[in-house]
Amino acid sequence: MGENMQNYILLDRFIQVLSSTENSVDSAQEAFDEIAPAYSITRITLDMNIPETRQTPTGEVRHLSVYEGEISDDTEAEIVWLEESYRTFENGIITAKVYAPISTNWSPEERQVLLSIMKVFLIHIGRCRLVELVQRSVLTQYLTGLPNSGGFLSFATQKMLAGELKKYNSYYFNLRGFGLINRRYGPEETDNIIVRYSRVLLEFTSEDEIIGHLGGDNFVALIRKEKTEAFLNLLQKTETFGIKDGAKVPITISAVAGVFDIDDSVKNPGQVIGRSSIACSVARSLSNEPFLFVTKEMSTRVYREKQIEDRFEEGLSQREFKIYYQPKVNTQTGELVGAEALSRWLCKGEYVYPAEFVPVLERNSYSVGLDIYVIEDVCRTLREWIDHGMDPVPVSVNFSRSDLTDEHLAEQILKIIHKYDIDLDYIQIEVTETATSKEKGLITDFLHKLKGMHIASSIDDFGTGYSSLGILRDLPVNTIKIDKSFIDAEVLTSRDETILRNIIRMAKELDIEVITEGVERKDQIDLLHRVGCDLVQGFYFDKPLEKTEFEKRLQTKKYDV
C-alpha cells in the first residue's frame, strides 16, 4: 500500500471517529489515537480566545489539551511542529498546536495530510459550537445572553431531578428606577447598561448557580443558600456604568427582590419562579422593603388565588355565581327605590366572597366576564318579574375599571338590555371613582357612550379618589354614591357634616342624584337628613338579599322609618 493511500485511510478513520459525536473535544482523544502513533504525535492543544458577545456574555479564554500520547522516560523533548487557526462566527480565534519529538521528520505529503486533519478538526469544533449556540438560543434571552425562563426552568429541573434544589434560594428581582435610566441614556445605551449589569451578576455566580433574564428589567436566579446575604447585598447595590456624551458615567443599580427558601413543598420547577415573583410584587408595593422572603401566608394566598383563576371559567359556565340584591331606601318615606346587584360565588358548596375573588379577577382581566354575567342575570330576572306582574325597581350593576379597556363594552351592555326587552329606566351602570388620568379617560369615554344610549350611570365610592370635584364637573353621571368612609367615624363631627353638606349641595345643583352607602346606624341617618341626603344603602335597612327574599321586599316596597 502506498504512502498516500495509507495517509488517506488514516484521515478517513479520524473523520469517522470525530463525527460519531457532537462534542469534538470529548471525541478528540479517540479520534487522534487513529493517526497520532503513525506521525509520532505526542500532544495536541487548543487555545480558545472568544470575545464577549451577546451569545457568550463573558467571552471564553481557555487552554485545552485535547490529545495526550504515551510518553516514556526516554521520549525526546517535544516541540510544536504544526499550528493551525480557525476564526469563529463570533470573530474569535481557536488555535490548534501539534507537538512531536524534536527529531520528527514528516514528508511534505504527511505534513499536508496533518494540516487537512487539523482543519477538519477545527471546522468540526466550529460546527459543534454553532449547533450548541442554536440549541441554547431557544433557552437564552437575546439581549444579555442569559438564560430565559425556559433555560432557567431547564436548570431548575436538572437540580430537582438530582435532589439538589433545596440547596438553593430562588430569587425574582426587578430593577428600581430603570425608566429614569432609559430616559437619560436612551434605549440603545440602556440595553448596554443591562448587559453590563448582567455580567456583574454572572461574575458573582458559580458554575452550579444560574442568573436568568426574563426580559426588560426582570431577572431570576438560583443561588446557593450559603451565599444569601452576599447576593442580597449585591442586588441592593451593583456598580456599573453608562456612556453619556462620550463619557463614562458611574451607575449604581439596586433591585427589589422576592426570595423563596426552597423546601419540600415544591412539586414542580415552575413554583420556584412563581413563589418568588409573588414576594417581589409584595416588596414592590412596600417602598421601604428591598426584599421579602416568601412566607407560609404568601404561599397559601398564592395557592388560593390560583384556585380562583383555574375555577373561574367553570364557575361561570356552571352558574355558581349567585346574584344578591341590596335595597336602596328613601329614609324620609321608607320607600324601596332601587337595589344594587352583588355577586356571591358558591364554589363547590363553599361561599367565596367578592373581597377575595374580585381582586384576583381584575388582575387577570377576567372581571369583565363576571360583570357581563351579572348584568345578563339581572336582566333575565327583571324580565321574569315583569312577566309575573311584579313592579321592579331600578337595579345598578357594577363594572370594574379594568373592564373599560374594551371599547365595545357599552354596546355589549345595550345589546343584553335589548335582548330581554328591559326598559332602560330599570338599569343603572356603576363604575368606581379613580385616581389616575388614564383610567379617568377610560371612564369618561365609557360614561359618554352610556349617556348617548340613555343608560343611567353612577360613580361608586365617591370621595375615595383624588379628583372627586373634577368628577362632578367633567363626568356625565346621573348618580354619585358617597363612600361609607365619610360616615364611618364612631362620633360624627361638625366637620363631617360640613363636608357632606357641600358635596351634596353641589351635586344636586348639577342635577346629580346622591346616595350614601354603608349606612348602619341611626346617628348616620340623622346626619344625612341634616345635610340633605335621603337615599341610602346599607345594613341599617337590609343586607344583600337572595332573589326570593328581595322579591318579598318588592311586594310592599316599604320600610319602617
Side-chain angles (χ1 to χ4, degrees):
M1 183 183 297
E3 180 184 358
N4 284 347
M5 180 60 69
Q6 179 65 32
N7 287 334
Y8 286 110
I9 289 174
L10 293 174
L11 175 60
D12 184 60
R13 287 178 185 170
F14 172 80
I15 292 173
Q16 286 184 35
V17 174
L18 191 66
S19 302
S20 64
T21 176
E22 289 297 330
N23 192 318
S24 309
V25 174
D26 286 353
S27 62
Q29 180 72 36
E30 183 182 354
F32 281 114
D33 272 338
E34 296 291 332
I35 63 166
Y39 290 87
S40 303
I41 295 172
T42 55
R43 186 160 54 102
I44 299 174
T45 63
L46 282 183
D47 289 315
M48 303 182 73
N49 193 343
I50 311 300
E52 294 183 1
T53 66
R54 287 181 178 173
Q55 292 79 20
T56 52
T58 57
E60 190 175 1
V61 178
R62 287 198 293 165
H63 177 79
L64 302 173
S65 178
V66 296
Y67 173 77
E68 294 285 348
E70 293 185 6
I71 299 177
S72 61
D73 292 339
D74 58 350
T75 300
E76 296 180 53
E78 60 181 12
I79 61 170
V80 177
W81 279 96
L82 194 68
E83 186 172 317
E84 182 67 18
S85 295
Y86 172 82
R87 186 167 292 279
T88 70
F89 61 88
E90 312 106 314
N91 206 31
I93 294 290
I94 301 177
T95 300
K97 296 178 180 179
V98 179
Y99 293 79
I102 292 176
S103 61
T104 299
N105 186 21
W106 295 326
S107 69
E109 292 80 9
E110 288 175 324
R111 176 175 286 276
Q112 188 59 47
V113 169
L114 281 175
L115 276 172
S116 298
I117 287 172
M118 298 315 298
K119 285 181 180 180
V120 167
F121 178 56
L122 291 173
I123 290 171
H124 195 268
I125 286 178
R127 173 187 169 277
C128 290
R129 290 186 72 253
L130 189 56
V131 169
E132 180 187 354
L133 173 66
V134 171
Q135 293 172 340
R136 196 171 70 234
S137 66
V138 178
L139 303 175
T140 301
Q141 209 281 335
Y142 77 96
L143 174 65
T144 56
L146 296 176
N148 57 19
S149 59
F152 181 84
L153 290 175
S154 175
F155 179 89
T157 300
Q158 293 173 24
K159 294 300 178 184
M160 189 172 187
L161 293 174
E164 298 178 350
L165 198 54
K166 289 193 296 180
K167 297 177 181 179
Y168 295 83
N169 282 337
S170 169
Y171 298 80
Y172 189 109
F173 52 102
N174 176 265
L175 309 187
R176 292 182 185 271
F178 227 75
L180 295 174
I181 291 177
N182 190 47
R183 286 195 290 275
R184 181 178 183 189
Y185 290 92
E188 185 175 346
E189 181 57 19
T190 298
D191 283 350
N192 293 333
I193 293 168
I194 285 275
V195 171
R196 294 180 197 117
Y197 174 77
S198 300
R199 289 174 182 168
V200 175
L201 298 183
L202 271 178
E203 290 172 4
F204 175 89
T205 59
S206 307
E207 286 188 7
D208 62 344
E209 297 170 327
I210 189 171
I211 300 286
H213 183 198
L214 304 185
D217 55 2
N218 294 300
F219 293 79
V220 286
L222 279 176
I223 305 296
R224 297 182 73 88
K225 290 182 178 179
E226 60 267 25
K227 296 168 66 176
T228 299
E229 183 178 355
F231 190 61
L232 286 173
N233 287 337
L234 178 66
L235 293 185
Q236 290 176 59
K237 187 177 181 180
T238 304
E239 305 292 346
T240 184
F241 65 90
I243 304 295
K244 179 75 172 175
D245 299 327
K248 183 187 289 188
V249 182
I251 297 174
T252 300
I253 295 176
S254 63
V256 58
V259 192
F260 174 38
D261 186 347
I262 298 174
D263 55 27
D264 289 325
S265 67
V266 174
K267 304 303 179 188
N268 66 75
Q271 291 175 316
V272 302
I273 293 182
R275 295 187 184 180
S276 55
S277 69
I278 290 295
C280 181
S281 296
V282 175
R284 287 181 67 182
S285 67
L286 303 173
S287 58
N288 294 323
E289 297 292 344
F291 60 86
L292 278 180
F293 279 80
V294 175
T295 63
K296 184 178 180 181
E297 290 74 19
M298 275 186 206
S299 297
T300 301
R301 189 182 73 191
V302 170
Y303 177 71
R304 181 63 168 167
E305 290 183 356
K306 189 72 166 60
Q307 279 185 314
I308 290 171
E309 290 176 26
D310 292 346
R311 187 78 180 82
F312 172 66
E313 292 292 347
E314 186 178 350
L316 279 185
S317 65
Q318 297 295 321
R319 299 193 58 77
E320 293 177 352
F321 289 87
K322 309 301 178 186
I323 308 306
Y324 283 61
Y325 296 84
Q326 186 168 31
K328 299 175 183 178
V329 180
N330 185 319
T331 58
Q332 293 286 2
T333 65
E335 182 185 2
L336 172 64
V337 295
E340 180 180 3
L342 301 164
S343 58
R344 300 289 184 267
W345 187 1
L346 186 60
C347 181
K348 297 182 178 180
E350 175 194 0
Y351 271 107
V352 185
Y353 289 92
E356 184 175 8
F357 67 76
V358 168
V360 178
L361 300 183
E362 287 183 336
R363 277 199 301 273
N364 294 279
S365 301
Y366 291 165
S367 56
V368 68
L370 175 60
D371 295 339
I372 291 295
Y373 172 98
V374 172
I375 193 169
E376 178 133 19
D377 194 282
V378 166
C379 288
R380 186 186 300 113
T381 298
L382 285 168
R383 183 73 264 155
E384 180 185 319
W385 288 338
I386 294 168
D387 290 346
H388 284 81
M390 300 176 69
D391 182 21
V393 291
V395 179
S396 59
V397 179
N398 213 312
F399 276 76
S400 168
R401 293 195 296 258
S402 64
D403 300 348
L404 306 186
T405 54
D406 181 353
E407 59 184 22
H408 302 297
L409 180 61
E411 290 84 353
Q412 196 173 356
I413 291 170
L414 184 63
K415 184 177 179 181
I416 292 170
I417 296 172
H418 286 334
K419 174 182 174 181
Y420 292 95
D421 192 22
I422 303 300
D423 192 306
L424 295 177
D425 290 340
Y426 285 124
I427 292 291
Q428 186 176 67
I429 303 301
E430 290 190 12
V431 292
T432 304
E433 183 180 350
T434 181
T436 70
S437 57
K438 179 182 178 182
E439 287 181 341
K440 184 181 176 183
L442 291 173
I443 288 176
T444 302
D445 292 343
F446 179 61
L447 294 180
H448 275 293
K449 286 181 181 179
L450 292 180
K451 183 179 181 181
M453 297 172 180
H454 306 290
I455 299 173
S457 61
S458 172
I459 292 292
D460 197 13
D461 298 338
F462 182 86
T464 57
Y466 297 117
S467 54
S468 300
L469 296 181
I471 283 175
L472 291 179
R473 181 192 63 199
D474 300 333
L475 299 186
V477 295
N478 303 86
T479 304
I480 60 171
K481 292 179 73 174
I482 303 292
D483 187 69
K484 64 176 293 186
S485 61
F486 282 90
I487 58 168
D488 242 3
E490 261 187 58
V491 178
L492 298 170
T493 68
S494 59
R495 292 175 67 87
D496 298 317
E497 188 170 327
T498 300
I499 291 170
L500 278 173
R501 179 179 288 109
N502 281 281
I503 290 174
I504 292 164
R505 178 181 56 80
M506 283 189 292
K508 288 186 174 181
E509 287 181 4
L510 293 168
D511 200 25
I512 296 173
E513 181 183 67
V514 181
I515 184 169
T516 302
E517 57 186 342
V519 176
E520 299 176 357
R521 309 190 312 257
K522 178 66 166 61
D523 64 318
Q524 294 172 331
I525 297 283
D526 294 339
L527 170 66
L528 292 170
H529 278 165
R530 292 197 300 272
V531 297
C533 179
D534 300 329
L535 303 182
V536 304
Q537 176 183 338
F539 280 27
Y540 184 82
F541 287 102
D542 253 325
K543 64 181 181 180
L545 303 170
E546 291 184 350
K547 175 184 168 184
T548 54
E549 286 295 311
F550 185 72
E551 287 172 351
K552 295 176 184 177
R553 304 293 190 273
L554 281 177
Q555 290 172 3
T556 62
K557 291 188 179 177
K558 259 309 191 183
Y559 287 87
D560 291 333
V561 293

